[in-house]
Amino acid sequence: MGHSHHFHLDQGDHSITVNVGPGRNGEIELLVDGKVVACQKQHAPGTSLLTGELPEEPARPFRVRVRQPHLVPSRPRCTLELDGMEHPMPDRPEL
C-alpha cells in the first residue's frame, strides 16, 4: 500500500496545495487557500492534470500536473504551471 503525498507552494498571498491519496488509485485534490477547487477521484500511472485559478482581479488561471511513475514504484511529482512558468511543488512530509 502506498502513502499519501502533500505538495504545497505559496504564490503571493495565496497557497496552492495538492493532496494525492495513497496507492495508484487514490484521489487527487487541488486546494487554493485551503478550499478544494478541483478533484479527480482516481488516477493511474502517467500524468493527471487539474486546473484552478487564483482569486485575484482578474483571476489568474493555473494548472497542476501530477506525474505518477509508470514502472517503478516511487513518489509522484507535482508541477505548478502559472503565468507561463513551471514551478516544481515540493512534497511535504506528513506530520
Side-chain angles (χ1 to χ4, degrees):
M1 177 181 273
H3 299 284
S4 295
H5 294 275
H6 309 278
F7 301 91
H8 181 84
L9 267 182
D10 289 324
Q11 290 293 313
D13 294 334
H14 303 287
S15 67
I16 299 171
T17 304
V18 177
N19 296 321
V20 180
R24 292 186 181 258
N25 294 321
E27 182 177 79
I28 302 175
E29 290 182 325
L30 172 60
L31 296 88
V32 174
D33 299 333
K35 295 179 184 173
V36 175
V37 298
C39 184
Q40 184 173 325
K41 294 294 182 189
Q42 295 182 350
H43 63 276
T47 301
S48 297
L49 186 65
L50 290 93
T51 60
E53 53 185 37
L54 295 178
E56 299 178 349
E57 284 297 324
R60 292 171 61 199
F62 67 89
R63 61 188 194 169
V64 171
R65 285 183 288 127
V66 178
R67 176 91 171 111
Q68 289 284 106
H70 279 280
L71 301 174
V72 179
S74 62
R75 295 177 172 264
R77 290 177 288 165
C78 190
T79 304
L80 169 68
E81 298 175 3
L82 175 68
D83 298 333
M85 303 279 297
E86 292 188 1
H87 308 274
M89 296 182 72
D91 190 358
R92 302 184 312 179
E94 279 190 77
L95 301 175

